[in-house]
Amino acid sequence: MCLIGMPIAQSLSPAMHNAACAALGIDATYGLCETGSGGLAAAVAAIRGPEYLGANVTIPHKEAVIPLLDEISPLAARSGAVNTIVKRGAILRGENTDGGGFLWPLRLGGAQLDQWRVTLLGAGGAARGVAVALLNAGVTQLTIINRTVERAAALVAALEDARADILALDDPWVGGALAASDLLINAVPTGYGPDATLPLATALLGRLPAHALVYDLAYRKTALLEAAEARGLATLDGLPMLVGQGALALQLWTGKEVPREIMWAAALARRDGHPSS
Ligand code: NAP
């Protein structure tokens, strides 16, 4: 198994998957396949070799990989994004486990998603899986805000769901959408340093109601989440989502129930630079 993408040197996935394989007694390893756009077709062709169970796909290939695969799951097709390639004999099947991974910590926390209105910042590969998961989970409204309005419009058109709409970053209705949101999701890579937060995202925090949850898909606490906490808002980072999407992928590759707590501990240890116990 491997991760196909670029840049991926800092990925937590090998630590997480290799710990789970060791715990399950599976004789397999998960490595990195750092690949730019020019090498994607060759990387996918290599997965067809007998030594592979499958692969994950990340930035910037989640959409571009689709035409290189033999079949696509309904979830991945609706998302227009593949983050997991599963081998079924000679067939390479595209799956999307980002959405299921995204929902996992919300479900653990008892979120009443079928009563929530949601604002989603971003319309990239991760946002696509998240949008489909939220609509499938029954949210009452999903407003997508993206720098490139055309990309958000294409996503909403593909979703074909009256609950999904878009707003431009500078639309005067943005404040109103935020004021009615139970959940603000950041699917834009805003970074971790004090100057790294998208200024607009931080400005949006002030419009949220006091009970709102701010969920940043980044794998650790971001400046955006720190700003949200400073305002007394509940927050969630993307590490549980990473574990959730990885667990679903490993389950698809091996057919086994996977130990999420072991994956979580390994990802945390790798992220924070200490040995996992
Ligand atoms: P992506 O496909 O490259 O999409 C990036 C998104 O961010 C696009 O909507 C893009 O807008 C927007 N963006 C980028 N730079 C921006 C800027 N300076 N100002 C405004 N908007 C900007 O990336 P992705 O795969 O969706 O990943 C997004 C984030 O989610 C990353 O932080 C990634 O690490 C995280 N992620 C987490 C998990 C997890 O398991 N926790 C899984 C997947 C991804 P345009 O359309 O205008 O370019």
Side-chain angles (χ1 to χ4, degrees):
M1 299 161 288
C2 71
L3 174 63
I4 301 171
M6 182 179 269
I8 52 173
Q10 300 306 315
S11 171
L12 308 180
S13 291
M16 187 169 79
H17 284 289
N18 288 327
C21 285
L24 289 168
I26 295 171
D27 182 20
T29 55
Y30 185 109
L32 296 178
C33 178
E34 181 126 23
T35 309
S37 300
L40 179 60
V44 172
I47 304 301
R48 295 184 185 276
E51 65 277 25
Y52 280 97
L53 292 172
N56 282 134
V57 181
T58 190
I59 293 176
H61 304 311
K62 285 184 182 177
E63 295 163 60
V65 75
I66 291 175
L68 301 172
L69 303 174
D70 304 312
E71 60 180 44
I72 303 292
S73 73
L75 204 57
R78 186 156 189 238
S79 309
V82 162
N83 80 319
T84 301
I85 303 173
V86 181
K87 272 173 81 176
R88 293 277 179 262
I91 301 291
L92 291 188
R93 178 178 167 88
E95 300 273 359
N96 189 306
T97 67
D98 276 338
F102 166 82
L103 290 179
W104 181 50
L106 293 174
R107 299 248 193 251
L108 280 181
Q112 300 282 308
L113 286 165
D114 58 352
Q115 294 167 26
W116 278 14
R117 299 167 73 95
V118 180
T119 300
L120 171 60
L121 295 180
R128 299 183 80 96
V130 164
V132 170
L134 285 165
L135 292 171
N136 288 347
V139 297
T140 59
Q141 179 74 33
L142 175 63
T143 300
I144 300 173
I145 300 175
N146 194 48
R147 175 179 60 180
T148 308
V149 177
E150 297 74 21
R151 200 171 179 195
L155 172 54
V156 167
L159 292 170
E160 292 183 328
D161 192 308
R163 292 169 294 160
D165 62 7
I166 58 166
L167 282 177
L169 281 169
D170 56 357
D171 193 300
W173 287 100
V174 164
L178 264 292
S181 289
D182 303 286
L183 171 64
L184 171 67
I185 301 151
N186 180 41
V188 171
T190 49
Y192 306 112
D195 304 324
T197 303
L198 206 61
L200 181 100
T202 315
L204 294 179
L205 295 178
R207 306 289 197 125
L208 287 168
H211 72 272
L213 171 65
V214 180
Y215 189 163
D216 195 322
L217 304 194
Y219 307 120
R220 63 175 74 239
K221 190 182 284 186
T222 57
L224 176 67
L225 292 181
E226 278 169 3
E229 280 177 6
R231 288 179 179 273
L233 297 166
T235 62
L236 191 58
D237 70 36
L239 193 71
M241 172 179 170
L242 178 80
V243 174
Q245 64 76 32
L248 291 170
L250 191 58
Q251 228 163 309
L252 288 168
W253 294 325
T254 64
K256 292 182 189 294
E257 274 300 315
V258 302
R260 290 181 181 221
E261 66 290 352
I262 288 176
M263 297 178 80
W264 193 326
L268 199 60
R270 168 81 169 97
R271 187 194 74 177
D272 296 344
H274 56 77
S276 91
S277 49

